[in-house]
Amino acid sequence: MASDLSGIVESSFPTGALVPKAETGVLNFLQKYPDYDGRDVTIAIFDSGVDPRATGLETLCDGKTLKVIERFDCSGCGDVDMSKKLTPDEKGNFKGLSGRTLKLSPELIALNTDKDGAVRVGLKSFNDLVPAKVRDNIVAQAKLKSWDKPHKTATANASRKIVEFEAQNPGEASKLPWDKKIVKENLDFELEMLNSYEKLYNDIKTSFDCVLFPTDNGWLTIIDTTEQGDLEKALRIGEYSKTHETKNVDDFLSVSVNVHDDGNVLEVVGMCSPHGTHVASIASGNHSSRDIDGVAPNAKIVSLTIGDGRLGSMETGTALIRGIMKVMDLCREGRRIDVINMSYGEHSNWSNSGRIGELMNEVVNKYGVVWVASAGNHGPALSTVGTPPDISQPSLIGVGAYVSPQMMEAEYAMREKLPGNVYTWTSRDPCIDGGQGVTVCAPGGAITSVPQFTMSKSQLMNGTSMAAPHVAGAVALLISGLKQQNIAYSPYSIKRAISVTATKLGYVDPYAQGHGLLNVEKAFEHLVEHRQSKDNMMRFSVRVGASQDKGIHLREGVQRKFVDFNVNIEPVFFNDKEADPKDKFNFNVRLNLIPSQSWVQCGSFLDLSYGVRSIVVRIDPTSLQPGVHSAVVKAYDTDCVQKGPLFEIPITVVQPHVLENVQSTPVFEPTTQRADKSVEFQPNTIQRDFILVPDKATWAVLRLRLTDPNRGNDIGKFFLHTNQLLPHQSCRKLETMKIIGVNSEFEATATFPVKANKILELCIAKYWSNHGQSHLKYSLEFRGVAAQNPNAYVMHAGRGIHPLEVGVLVAEEIQPLLQLKNAAVVLKPSEAKISPLSATRDVIPEGRQIYQSLLVYNLNVAKAAEVALYAPLFNDLLYESEFESQMWMLFDVNKSLIATGDAHSHNFYTKLEKGEYTVRLQVRHEKRDLLEKIAEANLIAAYKLPNMLALDFYDSYNQCIVSGRKFTSAKVRETNKMLYIAPIAQDRITKANLPAQCAWLSGNLVFPKDEAGRRIALHPFTYVLNPAEKKAASNGAANGGSSNNASPAAAAAVNANAAKPKAQATPQGATNTANSAGGDADTLQKEVPANASGGAPSSPQKGKTSADDYAESLRDFQCSHIAKCELEKAEKIYNEVVAAHPKHLPAHLQFIQNIESTELKTQLPLAFVAAHQKRSSEGDDGSVDKQRDDNSQKQRSALERIVKLADIVIKETDADALLSYYGLKNDTRPDATKIKTNMDKQKNNLIEALSKKGIAVAKLCVLENNLKEHLAELNDIYTEIIKFVDANDSKAIQFAMWHAYAHDHYGRMYKYVSKMIEDKRTRDHFEELAAINGALGYEHTKAVIDRMTVTAFPNSFRLF
């Protein structure tokens, strides 16, 4: 059998195609020049981080020299605030920021060279140092290792206890006596607790204590990964620049560290995705097998992380600028960065300006670094090149993605090879401003190394992200050879060489390949041959028109006449400011300008010295057929034509199809020679049609079907990409991208929005890997209905009825629907502070200090909601922004980080619980005066409404006024249809529970009845609310309540009644209204007139004098200060009040509050018990014992006094009368409202007194160690309380906790603490939860709660 198979099974694998190099001549180059393998060259990888321990990235070709020589996280995601210094005690113990006691071993103490022996402490959440998928793996492994077994056992035992209880107590649980009922509740709550932790486990974040101190070999970082405080067993790691250490935190995550600002900032470097390691492996991987090497295996790597883990892995302005500054610093230190690879980018709204682009140009033009960037994966439509390479100057090398037949075989396991081509999705030229973004194309896929946390040795990735490092590696080969031959070069000579020598692929989309497929051998030969060229150290700036475009791009309507463009051309020396003036003076070049197409005209010759010359380029598109047409004006040096063009002026003209017949539904069909009107598609065939969208069109329907006979269900895989370019907006603003399966049996359809009178590119491509020939018949039908009047989609409530003049493209059935889904609140900064950033990390050479403007906003969320935050001034801007950062971080009241956002945060919603939040927004720039201009920048909080608000339509103005007959649907023809929308009624606004200070509502308005149109033709609609009314203190109608729908007379009556003085005898004192609201219960009850009528007198109540009013006001004022004053003063006031008003019960409660705040620390049961046990076990020193005894006695006295004061309130309150009153179903007395108010005050006073007494009794029992002997007394208090309120009521829950503790009901304790946490999250609550689980013997859940506590309660706001 083996001998038979040997003739069938291939004995070798095409490993050379896993990391392709033959296609671009890399293999031939290295065979010819084996020493030009990247040695003496350093590549900086701007990406998600590089793993120095990944296969192939450990060393250079000698097997000894480290490959990844520097490793920085420029994003700030890994930064830890280490500004706090502590000195350990003589045993090496000190308190970490987690609250744990940390211990240094003698060995570690000896390493510390700080003059005072001090250490720096910080706390770091490791949640965002790894990708989400890896995080899930880490959590899953930890769960399997230390959670599942004990938790399943605990859950089974809890379930078993419930079954046993139910067997012993048959019948319905609701009919059990109260003491049995709480036992059952306790068991149920314990099981509920275990189940809730199971659900919560995957969301728990881990934070570790970090310790930092100086040693003889630089800073030493200790990360307490044990979470036990024993630093001898913790992770130790030195600075990467000195030790090159990378160590594992667990089986998945490895980190390195850097230290900044004299130890104040620790930078923990992780990786936010595998992307950066894969990219570095393509550029410079060094393996034992040369077949799978990277392009330049002997090049060094500097890893600069620009992806921020807080944002998934998106790059930020801060990270990019810090990365650029690090490159500058290294170049200035003599540790030159030769090449930058950046396989990252976004799409900009414009590219001719922007802070980040300016600094990118500076790196190239001043420091001579060759910057290679991926063009993007956003094709196949035109003008989809990303930023970078599309920045203000064409200084970068942009790379498109190519796939060869060998790659198809080895990487994609395709059943047959296809001709080499670009990938369907690779981004296309031109840039929006007409420039050329794609310089060359290169292999865009590889199977190579990835980080260890993936648990995989290698992985297939494809994209222009993989093509760019191939070119970066190739540039490293070129520079390696040039250095060894002592040939001077510049980024300009490198870019010109690879452009001029690239292999143009005639059958491949010209907009995707740039100058063609990279050819390393020819590029090197070109550089060597023209080594003496005077322009090697020079670039030629080409600027078109007033907007300073990089090229000419005509894509506005039908081009019916010629257009002249002024083009400015300026030669600029490398590092122009430091260039020799003689070189500038002596420079002259005589150029021959050659247009590539007859419809482009310009002068043939140009004499160019060192200065700006302007030429006119005429474009005459009048003879051009519909479609896209490209040309280029090439400028050759007449002294050396064979060198190739010194610069080019790229030109793109789009001539659209115009649909003439507007009487019927406009339909576009492609021009074809086939009888069945189909178009032939081979794999990767691209059909582009440019259509001028008819006036009033708002959506289009594309219909597709294969016409091939006998294809049956054989599906063709087609990539649909439609695009309309809008002024100063990126190519992504109005586009559709989808893959559609098409066969001959059924018609496939796609519906997408369009904008009238703008050119639409309809791009249909057969996917590159979809085998076989297909014939596709397709048509595009335009439909349209929209409001024609100005500002139709912005409605101001204050302007009343809002008109809509609805017009249609052709006759259309309309059924309008307006739904408002979001509410916007404008947040004003409560603080705006400008300050210089790090003097070592945030200074652009030389001495250009970067400043930050830190704006702080307060956000109040009244109830749980989904909220998106964004700063309108900066939103949707990154590379094109004037400022280099706009990151915001959202923190809860405990300073725990909840969410982070940056340039594109307006569509990302975060679920927020009720509470107070702080938003901190950082904007950075080197010019302080620019930051001063944004000190009042607003932040928008957009809330998702729980229930959408739908507005009604009317086709009559008068019907709209009276809310009469509503409009539902109608057919609209040539004549426009008028519709009207009425403002939202105030009662609907009130019921909608909008957030406070809501400024506007937003949603979508749709007109068509057609289902496909309703999904697609959405018009964003904004409803501007009236400014919020200021609520008057004493006027109930000011809140918009009872007077909303009343007549003027009724509203006046409400106002008149609201203005009258209250008829109750004792006004509510200025006390704690939640717990101590109310006056003297008996007196209040007696003083309410038995026959009081609804019309209270306008003068003070009969029998009351001014002296009475004064006495009561004085009493209430005194009571309000009892709880606030020092104990001695408070007691004096208390005695005065009680002497003058012996029946005024709130005075006793206020005094209890004072005693609690001054004499007793508010503690939950297990925390109180733990503190008492700790005090009891402390030392044998006589003075310590005496102090402890004194404190204990003081505590007992305070608790005993609380019991006595509470007993006064309890004794003086007629509980039976209260119960009788609350037993009434209806109170028909005329003064029922006043009676209820007084009864509620009495009830609250009684509950508070019972609760305070119960807690004091329980604490006394703990101090005397006789809690079980007083269960009956605690039960009596508990049963009295639950006559009036549930045990988890806010007035009773504190005592309920103690009652549950007394009975060892830890399940009930959990439930009560959970309720407290819902109202307010505090560290004490979480620590009590941990203690509850410890008391139950659940050490695994206790450990998890401890972990949650550390993360949920940081000491300070997280660093940007």
Side-chain angles (χ1 to χ4, degrees):
M1 180 66 73
S3 59
D4 291 341
L5 285 176
S6 64
I8 301 171
V9 178
E10 290 283 351
S11 59
S12 62
F13 190 92
T15 54
L18 297 177
V19 183
K21 295 179 284 294
E23 292 83 345
T24 56
V26 170
L27 290 182
N28 288 341
F29 179 85
L30 288 173
Q31 286 174 1
K32 189 183 294 186
Y33 309 108
D35 291 339
Y36 301 169
D37 56 358
R39 66 190 62 187
D40 302 324
V41 175
T42 302
I43 305 173
I45 305 291
F46 277 48
D47 214 287
S48 61
V50 177
D51 186 354
R53 300 199 295 184
T55 307
L57 294 178
E58 302 100 323
T59 64
L60 299 182
C61 295
D62 60 8
K64 300 175 183 178
T65 308
L66 195 76
K67 179 174 280 289
V68 182
I69 58 173
E70 292 287 1
R71 194 167 186 250
F72 294 97
D73 181 354
C74 303
S75 70
C77 178
D79 286 2
V80 188
D81 183 355
M82 304 296 291
S83 56
K84 185 171 183 179
K85 293 182 75 172
L86 297 173
T87 303
D89 63 20
E90 62 280 0
K91 295 181 180 178
N93 296 326
F94 58 98
K95 210 67 157 173
L97 295 190
S98 67
R100 300 187 188 100
T101 297
L102 308 180
K103 181 177 177 59
L104 290 171
S105 66
E107 178 198 351
L108 290 172
I109 293 172
L111 289 173
N112 189 354
T113 59
D114 183 88
K115 62 180 181 179
D116 300 319
V119 298
R120 294 175 178 270
V121 292
L123 190 68
K124 178 61 185 151
S125 169
F126 274 61
N127 186 61
D128 44 28
L129 291 180
V130 290
K133 186 176 180 181
V134 177
R135 241 183 351 254
D136 293 343
N137 290 338
I138 292 171
V139 170
Q141 189 184 60
K143 189 170 183 289
L144 183 66
K145 188 175 180 181
S146 59
W147 175 270
D148 282 349
K149 182 179 178 181
H151 200 72
K152 287 175 181 176
T153 302
T155 304
N157 289 338
S159 301
R160 194 174 292 112
K161 290 177 189 174
I162 293 173
V163 172
E164 291 171 358
F165 177 87
E166 289 173 346
Q168 295 168 8
N169 301 274
E172 295 180 26
S174 59
K175 295 180 180 178
L176 292 171
W178 76 268
D179 53 340
K180 296 287 187 182
K181 193 177 289 184
I182 62 172
V183 173
K184 177 68 164 61
E185 285 177 356
N186 178 64
L187 296 173
D188 289 341
F189 291 151
E190 184 179 336
L191 181 60
E192 180 186 317
M193 175 184 76
L194 293 168
N195 289 333
S196 69
Y197 291 152
E198 177 72 19
K199 295 174 184 175
L200 190 66
Y201 187 91
N202 290 339
D203 297 324
I204 293 166
K205 299 175 182 177
T206 304
S207 296
F208 296 128
D209 277 301
C210 299
V211 179
L212 182 68
F213 54 81
T215 71
D216 290 332
N217 191 30
W219 293 95
L220 179 65
T221 300
I222 303 175
I223 302 172
D224 183 21
T225 51
T226 68
E227 299 178 85
Q228 302 297 320
D230 184 358
L231 300 185
E232 182 65 29
K233 298 177 182 177
L235 180 70
R236 298 188 209 177
I237 186 167
E239 295 175 86
Y240 190 85
S241 59
K242 294 189 176 181
T243 65
H244 294 109
E245 289 180 330
T246 304
K247 293 194 175 179
N248 272 60
V249 175
D250 50 40
D251 291 340
F252 295 87
L253 171 61
S254 62
V255 297
S256 59
V257 299
N258 304 296
V259 179
H260 305 283
D261 300 335
D262 298 321
N264 284 324
V265 175
L266 170 67
E267 175 192 309
V268 181
V269 185
M271 286 164 284
C272 58
S273 84
H275 190 269
T277 302
H278 197 273
V279 163
S281 299
I282 293 171
S284 183
N286 170 45
H287 298 267
S288 56
S289 168
R290 300 288 83 163
D291 280 353
I292 57 174
D293 271 354
V295 177
N298 222 5
K300 296 185 179 77
I301 294 292
V302 168
S303 172
L304 296 169
T305 301
I306 59 169
D308 196 315
R310 292 167 292 190
L311 301 170
S313 61
M314 182 183 157
E315 77 273 40
T316 65
T318 296
L320 288 161
I321 300 302
R322 278 186 175 161
I324 288 169
M325 288 188 292
K326 181 55 67 176
V327 168
M328 293 177 177
D329 287 337
L330 290 171
C331 287
R332 295 175 70 85
E333 292 170 8
R335 304 167 66 199
R336 179 173 177 74
I337 300 295
D338 300 286
V339 189
I340 291 172
N341 183 85
M342 183 171 167
S343 295
Y344 252 74
E346 308 295 328
H347 283 89
S348 297
N349 295 297
W350 58 86
S351 62
N352 54 7
S353 64
R355 167 84 173 150
I356 296 171
E358 290 171 4
L359 290 172
M360 286 179 169
N361 290 328
E362 187 174 334
V363 167
V364 176
N365 297 333
K366 183 176 179 180
Y367 291 87
V369 181
V370 181
W371 195 311
V372 181
S374 55
N377 307 322
H378 208 68
L382 301 187
S383 297
T384 49
V385 173
T387 301
D390 183 14
I391 58 174
S392 57
Q393 295 177 15
S395 54
L396 313 187
I397 295 173
V399 187
Y402 171 84
V403 57
S404 68
Q406 294 76 20
M407 292 165 64
M408 297 176 192
E409 178 184 52
E411 296 179 24
Y412 296 97
M414 290 176 62
R415 67 175 184 267
E416 63 180 85
K417 296 180 186 178
L418 298 172
N421 212 319
V422 292
Y423 288 90
T424 309
W425 35 254
T426 189
S427 288
R428 263 64 172 187
D429 274 329
C431 302
I432 290 178
D433 71 351
Q436 184 179 42
V438 183
T439 308
V440 290
C441 63
I447 298 177
T448 190
S449 302
V450 285
Q452 289 188 351
F453 63 57
T454 62
M455 295 293 149
S456 179
K457 185 177 181 180
S458 61
Q459 187 175 323
L460 169 64
M461 293 188 192
N462 55 28
T464 56
S465 286
M466 284 62 245
H470 184 105
V471 174
V475 170
L477 298 180
L478 297 176
I479 293 175
S480 180
L482 293 173
K483 282 185 175 183
Q484 292 179 59
Q485 292 196 22
N486 293 315
I487 297 174
Y489 69 93
S490 72
Y492 323 128
S493 63
I494 297 281
K495 182 174 180 179
R496 278 198 289 269
I498 66 172
S499 299
V500 168
T501 60
T503 305
K504 196 72 174 180
L505 304 173
Y507 59 93
V508 171
D509 185 359
Y511 300 99
Q513 61 176 304
H515 292 91
L517 182 64
L518 174 71
N519 190 318
V520 179
E521 284 185 278
K522 289 185 177 180
F524 187 71
E525 291 167 3
H526 183 279
L527 287 162
V528 173
E529 180 182 353
H530 301 289
R531 67 176 73 187
Q532 301 299 332
S533 179
K534 58 188 174 184
D535 49 62
N536 279 346
M537 304 304 288
M538 177 169 284
R539 65 185 172 93
F540 293 85
S541 171
V542 176
R543 292 296 184 186
V544 179
S547 57
Q548 302 287 288
D549 293 334
K550 300 188 293 294
I552 296 171
H553 193 188
L554 287 175
R555 189 170 165 163
E556 282 293 326
V558 181
Q559 306 297 327
R560 293 192 171 93
K561 59 182 181 179
F562 68 82
V563 186
D564 286 343
F565 291 90
N566 287 319
V567 181
N568 291 325
I569 299 162
E570 180 183 12
V572 184
F573 275 113
F574 169 70
N575 199 3
D576 177 62
K577 291 181 180 178
E578 297 180 16
D580 190 335
K582 289 182 181 179
D583 291 338
K584 297 180 182 179
F585 177 79
N586 292 325
F587 175 79
N588 179 261
V589 63
R590 288 167 181 160
L591 301 170
N592 182 199
L593 306 179
I594 301 179
S596 63
Q597 299 292 338
S598 60
W599 45 270
V600 178
Q601 300 169 9
C602 66
S604 297
F605 297 98
L606 179 66
D607 184 89
L608 187 63
S609 295
Y610 205 75
V612 179
R613 286 292 307 273
S614 181
I615 65 170
V616 175
V617 176
R618 172 168 291 187
I619 310 298
D620 184 3
T622 53
S623 62
L624 299 180
Q625 294 300 307
V628 59
H629 306 270
S630 61
V632 64
V633 176
K634 297 185 178 182
Y636 292 90
D637 182 351
T638 54
D639 288 341
C640 188
V641 174
Q642 66 273 18
K643 184 172 53 182
L646 296 186
F647 63 85
E648 298 178 350
I649 306 171
I651 301 157
T652 307
V653 176
V654 172
Q655 195 74 287
H657 293 276
V658 179
L659 305 180
E660 301 293 348
N661 185 5
V662 294
Q663 301 302 317
S664 59
T665 302
V667 177
F668 168 79
E669 293 182 338
T671 303
T672 175
Q673 302 300 317
R674 294 180 60 86
D676 60 4
K677 296 184 178 181
S678 67
V679 178
E680 181 179 306
F681 282 82
Q682 299 289 347
N684 223 7
T685 297
I686 297 174
Q687 173 77 11
R688 290 192 179 92
D689 298 296
F690 295 87
I691 306 117
L692 185 63
V693 176
D695 188 34
K696 297 185 180 180
T698 54
W699 82 96
V701 182
L702 178 68
R703 295 182 170 86
L704 311 96
R705 176 177 285 183
L706 295 181
T707 62
D708 303 295
N710 305 319
R711 290 293 290 266
N713 291 323
D714 189 12
I715 293 176
K717 185 179 179 182
F718 290 88
F719 195 123
L720 169 66
H721 193 180
T722 72
N723 195 1
Q724 287 183 276
L725 300 183
L726 306 179
H728 297 289
Q729 296 190 56
S730 85
C731 64
R732 306 188 73 155
K733 285 298 188 291
L734 189 56
E735 69 169 359
T736 300
M737 293 181 76
K738 59 173 66 175
I739 291 178
I740 302 176
V742 184
N743 62 23
S744 58
E745 295 292 315
F746 304 100
E747 183 178 77
T749 62
T751 308
F752 52 88
V754 296
K755 189 171 181 64
N757 303 309
K758 292 288 182 183
I759 293 176
L760 167 74
E761 178 183 357
L762 173 65
C763 183
I764 301 173
K766 190 171 187 192
Y767 204 69
W768 71 271
S769 58
N770 186 220
H771 293 285
Q773 175 180 283
S774 300
H775 291 88
L776 180 70
K777 181 178 180 181
Y778 65 92
S779 64
L780 185 66
E781 175 188 341
F782 290 96
R783 309 270 293 273
V785 52
Q788 305 297 316
N789 49 312
N791 300 316
Y793 302 114
V794 178
M795 177 177 176
H796 291 260
R799 292 180 180 173
I801 291 173
H802 184 68
L804 294 171
E805 184 182 350
V806 183
V808 295
L809 175 61
V810 292
E812 194 75 55
E813 193 84 20
I814 67 168
Q815 186 177 323
L817 175 66
L818 173 55
Q819 293 179 323
L820 302 175
K821 303 176 181 180
N822 299 301
V825 175
V826 179
L827 305 178
K828 302 283 186 182
S830 59
E831 180 185 335
K833 184 179 179 182
I834 298 174
S835 59
L837 289 162
S838 167
T840 58
R841 199 180 183 194
D842 293 305
V843 178
I844 303 172
E846 295 183 353
R848 292 155 60 187
Q849 175 68 59
I850 294 177
Y851 294 84
Q852 70 164 353
S853 178
L854 183 61
L855 296 102
V856 180
Y857 305 84
N858 299 315
L859 174 66
N860 177 269
V861 179
K863 62 178 183 178
E866 289 185 74
V867 182
L869 297 168
Y870 63 95
L873 273 182
F874 317 110
N875 188 58
D876 212 25
L877 304 177
L878 180 55
Y879 293 92
E880 67 270 47
S881 175
E882 176 59 41
F883 300 92
E884 65 189 53
S885 174
Q886 57 267 16
M887 177 179 279
W888 55 259
M889 290 195 277
L890 174 70
F891 300 90
D892 67 12
V893 73
N894 297 306
K895 299 180 181 177
S896 179
L897 179 62
I898 304 299
T900 307
D902 200 88
H904 309 288
S905 64
H906 58 291
N907 288 326
F908 296 95
Y909 286 82
T910 303
K911 180 76 177 290
L912 298 181
E913 300 299 327
K914 174 184 174 182
E916 298 284 340
Y917 295 87
T918 299
V919 187
R920 292 160 63 86
L921 169 67
Q922 184 195 54
V923 184
R924 298 164 40 117
H925 204 282
E926 66 177 285
K927 295 179 181 177
R928 188 185 183 111
D929 60 316
L930 293 185
L931 293 174
E932 289 171 354
K933 297 178 187 299
I934 58 153
E936 298 179 357
N938 292 334
L939 193 75
I940 304 300
Y943 290 70
K944 273 189 181 178
L945 295 178
N947 298 301
M948 292 181 291
L949 282 171
L951 276 67
D952 295 323
F953 292 83
Y954 303 84
D955 58 0
S956 161
Y957 189 92
N958 288 338
Q959 290 296 313
C960 187
I961 290 177
V962 299
S963 300
R965 185 185 67 256
K966 296 180 178 64
F967 175 83
T968 53
S969 64
K971 190 156 191 173
V972 180
R973 303 180 189 277
E974 293 82 3
T975 306
N976 289 352
K977 174 78 175 174
M978 289 302 301
L979 296 177
Y980 303 93
I981 307 173
I984 306 173
Q986 183 59 40
D987 61 331
R988 290 191 69 198
I989 294 285
T990 304
K991 289 176 183 176
N993 285 321
L994 301 180
Q997 304 302 315
C998 181
W1000 69 81
L1001 306 174
S1002 61
N1004 290 311
L1005 170 58
V1006 297
F1007 288 110
K1009 188 173 183 179
D1010 175 79
E1011 280 302 319
R1014 289 177 82 80
R1015 290 194 303 271
I1016 295 298
L1018 308 176
H1019 301 279
F1021 192 94
T1022 301
Y1023 181 93
V1024 182
L1025 294 162
N1026 290 326
E1029 296 179 9
K1030 293 183 179 179
K1031 299 180 181 180
S1034 61
N1035 188 347
N1039 294 328
S1042 59
S1043 63
N1044 284 336
N1045 302 311
S1047 66
V1054 170
N1055 290 339
N1057 288 334
K1060 293 177 182 178
K1062 298 179 180 177
Q1064 66 188 51
T1066 308
Q1068 180 178 328
T1071 62
N1072 183 330
T1073 55
N1075 296 324
S1076 304
D1080 180 357
D1082 293 342
T1083 306
L1084 281 171
Q1085 189 60 45
K1086 290 173 184 174
E1087 287 182 357
V1088 174
N1091 59 350
S1093 64
S1098 59
S1099 58
Q1101 184 178 320
K1102 186 177 179 180
K1104 281 189 79 174
T1105 65
S1106 297
D1108 293 333
D1109 284 337
Y1110 171 77
E1112 289 175 359
S1113 298
L1114 177 61
R1115 177 201 67 195
D1116 293 338
F1117 177 76
Q1118 289 175 307
C1119 277
S1120 69
H1121 282 73
I1122 291 174
K1124 303 174 185 176
C1125 296
E1126 292 181 2
L1127 183 59
E1128 186 177 343
K1129 180 67 175 175
E1131 187 159 12
K1132 183 179 178 184
I1133 298 172
Y1134 166 75
N1135 290 331
E1136 290 175 5
V1137 172
V1138 171
H1141 305 274
K1143 295 291 187 179
H1144 188 64
L1145 303 184
H1148 307 295
L1149 296 173
Q1150 289 287 342
F1151 195 39
I1152 289 175
Q1153 289 184 22
N1154 186 292
I1155 295 170
E1156 286 181 331
S1157 63
T1158 56
E1159 299 295 305
L1160 300 169
K1161 182 181 177 183
T1162 303
Q1163 287 178 310
L1164 295 168
L1166 292 172
F1168 180 86
V1169 171
H1172 170 62
Q1173 291 173 347
K1174 183 180 179 182
R1175 283 194 304 270
S1176 301
S1177 62
E1178 279 177 349
D1180 299 322
D1181 185 88
S1183 61
V1184 173
D1185 289 345
K1186 184 177 186 307
Q1187 184 181 359
R1188 183 178 61 224
D1189 293 341
D1190 290 345
N1191 289 337
S1192 273
Q1193 188 54 47
K1194 192 176 178 182
Q1195 195 175 39
R1196 284 185 176 85
S1197 299
L1199 291 168
E1200 288 166 355
R1201 184 139 195 213
I1202 288 172
V1203 173
K1204 290 178 183 177
L1205 289 167
D1207 277 338
I1208 295 172
V1209 178
I1210 295 167
K1211 182 180 178 182
E1212 294 293 330
T1213 304
D1214 188 344
D1216 292 335
L1218 282 171
L1219 290 170
S1220 291
Y1221 169 76
Y1222 287 108
L1224 288 173
K1225 189 169 184 179
N1226 291 299
D1227 190 347
T1228 57
R1229 288 174 286 185
D1231 54 352
T1233 302
K1234 294 169 186 170
I1235 294 172
K1236 183 178 185 307
T1237 300
N1238 293 324
M1239 287 296 190
D1240 286 345
K1241 291 174 182 176
Q1242 290 183 58
K1243 180 185 78 171
N1244 290 340
N1245 290 340
L1246 178 60
I1247 293 170
E1248 183 176 358
L1250 288 166
S1251 186
K1252 300 290 187 187
K1253 177 183 177 180
I1255 293 171
V1257 168
K1259 287 182 175 179
L1260 283 167
C1261 293
V1262 169
L1263 296 177
E1264 299 296 339
N1265 198 25
N1266 61 359
L1267 186 59
K1268 298 301 180 185
E1269 298 170 18
H1270 290 77
L1271 287 180
E1273 183 180 0
L1274 293 173
N1275 286 342
D1276 290 343
I1277 296 172
Y1278 180 82
T1279 53
E1280 283 298 308
I1281 288 175
I1282 62 173
K1283 290 176 183 176
F1284 297 96
V1285 292
D1286 290 334
N1288 64 355
D1289 186 275
S1290 60
K1291 302 179 209 54
I1293 196 166
Q1294 292 282 351
F1295 168 68
M1297 276 283 292
W1298 279 96
H1299 183 261
Y1301 169 71
H1303 287 272
D1304 298 327
H1305 286 174
Y1306 298 112
R1308 286 173 61 213
M1309 289 183 73
Y1310 153 78
K1311 192 67 176 178
Y1312 298 144
V1313 176
S1314 298
K1315 179 70 167 57
M1316 292 178 188
I1317 289 174
E1318 286 178 16
D1319 296 332
K1320 185 178 181 181
R1321 291 162 63 96
T1322 69
R1323 191 178 187 108
D1324 289 344
H1325 292 151
F1326 275 73
E1327 288 175 348
E1328 189 74 3
L1329 268 184
I1332 289 168
N1333 282 266
L1336 284 166
Y1338 299 153
E1339 291 301 321
H1340 68 294
T1341 55
K1342 180 181 181 299
V1344 164
I1345 297 166
D1346 286 339
R1347 191 172 292 163
M1348 290 168 58
T1349 305
V1350 171
T1351 301
F1353 301 95
N1355 293 68
S1356 59
F1357 292 116
R1358 183 161 172 178
L1359 298 178
F1360 283 96

